[in-house]
Amino acid sequence: MSKLLNCLINKDISCVPIWFMRQAGRYLPEFKQLRSQNPNFLKLCLNSDLASEITLQPMKRFNLDAAIIFSDILVIPYALGQPIEFGKKNGPRNSKLNINKFLDTKEKNFLSTLQPIYKAINKTKTILNKDKSLIAFVGAPWTLLIYLYNFKEQNKLDKKIIIKDKNEIKSVLKKLDEFLKIHIINQKQAGADIIQIFDSWAGLIEDEDLNEYCYKPNKSLVDFCKENKIPSICFPKGLKENYKKFLEEVKPDAINIDHDIDPSWAKNNFGNTCIQGGMNPNILLEDEKIALEEMEKYLEVFKNNPYIFNLGHGILPETNPSIIKKIVDRVNIIKR
Ligand code: 1CP
């Protein structure tokens, strides 16, 4: 069994597996080079050979325990007929939500759009060393709603979002639940070992709406993973103290904490759940010594827990790959 699965499933604490969110991306010169020749980001995600090559780029540089397939959470709205644009400045947006097209998309058409991703997973799995895990992912329904409705543009992000048309949202969430499960099972069948569920904008939900828009939809996906024996990692970013309630309700195999979460609080409140991540990616932009000290802090706090080293969010484009190498090499020598 791979080091990562041994930690995730068996709760083995004898070593600390390591991987990074956005480990394939703009901080790597080899990614930037490929990206500059492929200006259409979605097309790049749907190019099996290149997606597989990009997934493996960080595996060649660093002794990581997992590869995460190069794709995006927004391939789902795209495969449900929405014109997703990846703008340089404001991030991805759905230029025109076509609700009928969205709700009417059939499984066959959805799968045919996403076929290149399954092919990329399959190819990557055959190349990847047997002691490494392959992670596939989906965005949680709420986070996909944020992009479907361009909530990020319509609302100041320091304000919580108020849902206006609850009936429409209900049918959108139902469709997402159904089709995210289709995407999960197809990624598993193609060779993915683990599913990570990103709820990157969970922090924008009002407390009284958390059950409806966060816990319930995440639980539905996690339960589906359990039924199909797929280990799951949830990342409900920004939930603050509600992380505890999330865990009690959703019960994934592992939980990724963000950098607002005090690691000692997590350790004391999350029982024996496998914890992943936490360290602020901004610290990797500082002096190396400071970054390495912060890394030691996380390793020390979680020394008696099943812990997967990762960050509190993705690696930033300005990060120097040399600090990533130092962290990976340090975490790799841990034997408890
Ligand atoms: O311009 C570029 O080169 C594209 C940048 C980029 C990359 C490398 C985007 C656009 N997506 C990705 C890949 C990606 N997206 C991965 C690959 C695997 C890896 O981690 O190495 C993953 C897991 C994602 C997931 C994703 N996409 C999330 C969830 C995680 C998170 O960052 O919170 C979200 C919210 C997205 C939307 C998205 N796609 C791209 C960007 C820049 C964003 C975020 C924009 C925003 O802040 O709203």
Side-chain angles (χ1 to χ4, degrees):
M1 190 182 261
S2 75
K3 204 160 126 185
L4 182 53
L5 284 173
N6 197 25
C7 178
L8 198 62
I9 295 170
N10 298 337
K11 314 267 170 113
D12 185 343
I13 62 163
S14 63
C15 49
V16 178
I18 178 167
W19 70 280
F20 291 88
M21 292 184 279
R22 293 278 163 98
Q23 64 189 22
R26 285 214 151 138
Y27 73 107
L28 287 181
E30 57 271 36
F31 173 79
K32 278 193 272 196
Q33 207 238 334
L34 252 173
R35 178 76 171 98
S36 69
Q37 298 158 358
N38 295 274
N40 185 326
F41 178 71
L42 263 175
K43 253 192 167 164
L44 184 56
C45 290
L46 295 171
N47 179 323
S48 309
D49 290 337
L50 289 180
S52 175
E53 186 180 335
I54 294 170
T55 302
L56 293 167
Q57 280 178 344
M59 306 306 287
K60 290 189 181 134
R61 268 186 187 252
F62 317 115
N63 191 10
L64 297 157
D65 293 296
I68 179 162
I69 191 69
F70 181 77
S71 174
D72 199 84
I73 62 167
L74 296 167
V75 296
I76 297 302
Y78 176 72
L80 290 168
Q82 305 308 306
I84 300 291
E85 289 163 9
F86 285 84
K88 276 225 154 41
K89 254 194 160 168
N90 301 320
R93 69 188 305 272
N94 184 15
S95 53
K96 212 173 174 189
L97 174 66
N98 183 333
I99 187 78
N100 292 332
K101 211 168 170 192
F102 181 90
L103 295 174
D104 291 345
T105 303
K106 301 278 177 290
E107 176 172 348
K108 187 169 157 272
N109 295 340
F110 174 84
L111 285 177
S112 110
T113 307
L114 298 181
Q115 214 52 46
I117 298 178
Y118 311 132
K119 222 175 131 192
I121 290 174
N122 191 274
K123 179 170 182 184
T124 309
K125 182 72 181 168
T126 56
I127 301 172
L128 206 57
N129 266 343
K130 295 294 164 260
D131 59 342
K132 312 284 182 188
S133 300
L134 180 56
I135 300 172
F137 62 92
V138 292
W142 167 263
T143 288
L144 293 176
L145 280 188
I146 295 285
Y147 294 101
L148 273 173
Y149 287 91
N150 295 315
F151 281 148
K152 280 179 66 195
E153 288 168 31
Q154 290 163 23
N155 297 268
K156 285 219 173 73
L157 283 182
D158 52 354
K159 267 201 288 181
K160 303 270 176 163
I161 286 166
I162 301 188
I163 300 290
K164 293 193 190 85
D165 189 341
K166 291 206 169 157
N167 275 337
E168 179 175 304
I169 297 288
K170 244 191 185 150
S171 43
V172 170
L173 286 176
K174 188 163 171 279
K175 183 83 175 178
L176 284 173
D177 179 66
E178 186 186 339
F179 279 70
L180 286 169
K181 287 173 181 170
I182 295 172
H183 191 42
I184 288 173
I185 198 73
N186 277 277
Q187 293 189 98
K188 161 74 180 167
Q189 283 162 0
D193 301 303
I194 296 163
I195 293 287
Q196 175 142 334
I197 303 169
F198 287 97
D199 212 347
S200 306
W201 298 104
L204 297 177
I205 308 172
E206 294 283 1
D207 275 11
E208 62 265 31
D209 291 334
L210 277 170
N211 194 41
E212 184 72 11
Y213 297 121
C214 182
Y215 307 150
K216 256 171 54 185
N218 274 284
K219 182 173 178 348
S220 176
L221 298 180
V222 166
D223 285 350
F224 178 80
C225 286
K226 285 181 185 163
E227 282 159 29
N228 290 286
K229 302 203 165 28
I230 312 167
S232 59
I233 306 173
C234 279
F235 185 23
K237 189 172 180 292
L239 277 194
K240 301 200 160 67
E241 64 278 8
N242 289 322
Y243 252 98
K244 188 167 184 250
K245 181 97 169 82
F246 180 96
L247 261 185
E248 288 162 7
E249 297 284 330
V250 181
K251 301 186 183 70
D253 294 292
I255 185 101
N256 198 110
I257 52 173
D258 63 48
H259 40 84
D260 277 345
I261 298 291
D262 174 359
S264 303
W265 177 81
K267 177 193 157 67
N268 294 332
N269 283 280
F270 292 1
N272 196 33
T273 305
C274 180
I275 296 174
Q276 173 172 284
M279 181 166 155
N280 192 334
N282 279 299
I283 294 179
L284 300 183
L285 309 182
E286 291 189 30
D287 188 77
E288 248 182 29
K289 195 168 157 276
I290 296 174
L292 293 170
E293 277 170 14
E294 184 72 3
M295 171 202 72
E296 294 293 346
K297 187 180 102 186
Y298 277 88
L299 293 175
E300 175 62 26
V301 171
F302 293 122
K303 67 181 176 198
N304 295 317
N305 283 67
Y307 180 59
I308 302 165
F309 195 91
N310 203 316
L311 302 175
H313 205 186
I315 298 179
L316 296 162
E318 304 81 21
T319 308
N320 187 334
S322 77
I323 184 68
I324 300 293
K325 172 143 181 30
K326 291 210 168 108
I327 291 177
V328 175
D329 289 348
R330 162 70 182 104
V331 172
N332 270 322
I333 57 170
I334 297 173
K335 278 268 178 298
R336 290 159 171 162

